[in-house]
Amino acid sequence: KSKTVPSAVRQHVDEAEFIKSQDYQRAKREFGLLRSAFSLTETLLFLHFEVLPFFWNYASALLVSLDSPYFPNSEIPRSLVFMFIINLYNTLIGIPFSLYSNFVLEERFGFNKLTARIFIMDLLKGQMLTVLLGTPVLSAIIYCINWGGESFYLYLWLFFDPTDYDHRDHHLSDDIAPLFNKFTPLEEGELRSKIYALAEKLNFPLTKLFVVDGSTRSSHSNAYFFGFFKNKRIVLFDTLLEQCDHEGVVAVLAHEMGHWKYSHTLKMLLINQVYIFVFLFTFSYALYEHSLYAAFGFDQPAAMIGIMLFSYIYSPMDHAFHFVMNMLS
């Protein structure tokens, strides 16, 4: 740990803030290591005590209790109940970590603005959206795998068609994000004019400019853009406007627009599509491999179970992929 501000930035960075930043990053890393250790221990216990097969059988028992002749032997309803149980468990287990992260760690360094009410409302909204959006998506994935036969990986890969991301991105940002935050158009003035001038200089197709009330949850500042093709929108955190002058805000956006100018987003998207294809293609060889399911305590193959189990096996490749992606970004 260096207690001295590097000479290159000494005139821009206060020494007290520099030390606070180091302490904050160290605290986050330590907390991250603790959470990773807990997650690894949890996974090992799940595998050793065959918790996933228990949840899978419990999902079937719940459907049997509905006294329907169709549900118990139908893979889609059983998989949906199974994933609901997994999601409920993960949510409950994750609450203590979220509470500590926001109300202890972030609070200690003066960043937390979250209240108990907003925390609870965000949690409930998140669960609601998980059910409303997750149910049709998971159903479509399972149906595609079972319907597609040996070529299911190709159909499922097309289901994640990158050319449709603009449509999904539009609904996620325009319909879902406002459930959690308030977005207001940036008022007319010098800053707005400077941002549009920068966009015009770079041929950045800026269509809308918003300010989001990020200060209701954190004093961290940020800015981002979203949208594909000729429909780019920029979002500025209100904390960024409070902490930076106009030149500083424009400099932050110049960095973000630079990602677009050099096609970083498009390149990452294409790389991600290749990764998804490789995952699905290799998964196609494991989907009906009975020994895979038996090794984890399951008595028969199932699409959603297969994806989960194969993800465990594929995790070294996944870590390598994300390592490369972090290098590129």
Side-chain angles (χ1 to χ4, degrees):
K1 174 185 176 180
S2 174
K3 292 285 187 179
T4 306
V5 181
S7 58
V9 295
R10 191 167 296 159
Q11 60 178 335
H12 305 289
V13 180
D14 178 75
E15 185 172 351
E17 288 297 317
F18 175 73
I19 294 174
K20 177 184 176 181
S21 175
Q22 286 191 314
D23 292 339
Y24 174 64
Q25 294 298 329
R26 182 181 299 103
K28 285 184 63 177
R29 284 195 299 270
E30 291 173 351
F31 178 65
L33 288 172
L34 175 64
R35 189 162 190 173
S36 297
F38 176 86
S39 179
L40 176 60
T41 303
E42 177 189 39
T43 300
L44 293 175
L45 291 174
F46 260 53
L47 296 177
H48 179 74
F49 291 104
E50 298 186 347
V51 177
L52 292 179
F54 172 78
F55 285 162
W56 180 247
N57 293 330
Y58 185 67
S60 179
L62 284 177
L63 292 173
V64 169
S65 68
L66 297 178
D67 198 27
S68 169
Y70 303 104
F71 280 170
N73 296 318
S74 178
E75 183 179 343
I76 291 180
R78 187 178 184 182
S79 297
L80 291 176
V81 174
F82 171 75
M83 293 307 298
F84 175 80
I85 294 172
I86 294 292
N87 177 67
L88 179 61
Y89 169 82
N90 288 334
T91 300
L92 294 176
I93 288 295
I95 287 176
F97 291 102
S98 296
L99 288 173
Y100 180 86
S101 176
N102 288 292
F103 295 104
V104 178
L105 196 155
E106 294 288 321
E107 186 75 31
R108 186 197 315 167
F109 291 93
F111 295 126
N112 180 54
K113 302 296 181 182
L114 197 65
T115 64
R117 179 183 177 278
I118 294 178
F119 179 85
I120 294 172
M121 291 302 297
D122 283 354
L123 188 65
L124 294 176
K125 291 175 185 178
Q127 292 304 301
M128 177 189 70
L129 290 172
T130 297
V131 174
L132 292 178
L133 300 180
T135 297
V137 170
L138 288 178
S139 299
I141 290 174
I142 297 169
Y143 177 82
C144 187
I145 291 175
N146 292 331
W147 170 82
E150 294 183 355
S151 300
F152 80 85
Y153 64 90
L154 184 59
Y155 300 117
L156 195 55
W157 181 64
L158 294 175
F159 178 75
F160 296 103
D161 179 10
T163 60
D164 191 44
Y165 281 2
D166 186 45
H167 178 72
R168 299 177 213 170
D169 183 70
H170 170 79
H171 287 290
L172 287 174
S173 24
D174 288 359
D175 301 329
I176 295 179
L179 295 175
F180 296 89
N181 290 97
K182 181 180 179 181
F183 293 79
T184 56
L186 179 65
E187 61 185 18
E188 295 288 344
E190 180 185 0
L191 177 60
R192 183 182 178 88
S193 299
K194 287 184 175 181
I195 293 173
Y196 271 96
L198 174 64
E200 184 177 358
K201 180 180 180 180
L202 297 175
N203 294 319
F204 183 81
L206 178 60
T207 57
K208 294 180 181 179
L209 192 53
F210 296 104
V211 177
V212 62
D213 60 340
S215 58
T216 58
R217 290 167 174 78
S218 172
S219 61
H220 289 300
S221 59
N222 199 4
Y224 63 91
F225 74 85
F226 61 93
F228 276 72
F229 307 115
K230 299 297 182 179
N231 186 29
K232 298 290 189 295
R233 288 150 284 177
I234 287 178
V235 176
L236 305 171
F237 279 46
D238 55 357
T239 47
L240 180 67
L241 302 183
E242 295 170 1
Q243 297 167 10
C244 296
D245 58 18
H246 290 178
E247 295 301 323
V249 173
V250 172
V252 171
L253 291 179
H255 169 84
E256 295 300 324
M257 291 183 190
H259 287 303
W260 170 83
K261 187 69 175 179
Y262 290 97
S263 303
H264 292 166
T265 304
L266 178 60
K267 291 174 183 177
M268 291 296 181
L269 179 61
L270 294 176
I271 292 173
N272 192 59
Q273 285 301 118
V274 173
Y275 171 79
I276 292 174
F277 180 83
V278 172
F279 175 87
L280 293 174
F281 179 74
T282 51
F283 169 58
S284 67
Y285 287 92
L287 175 58
Y288 297 111
E289 184 60 49
H290 286 263
S291 60
L292 171 66
Y293 296 87
F296 288 92
F298 292 92
D299 55 6
Q300 59 183 0
M304 191 53 57
I305 299 299
I307 292 175
M308 293 185 67
L309 299 183
F310 186 72
S311 296
Y312 285 132
I313 300 172
Y314 200 77
S315 59
M317 285 290 294
D318 188 60
H319 285 296
F321 170 77
H322 284 96
F323 176 77
V324 173
M325 291 290 281
N326 286 335
M327 291 178 60
L328 294 175
S329 62

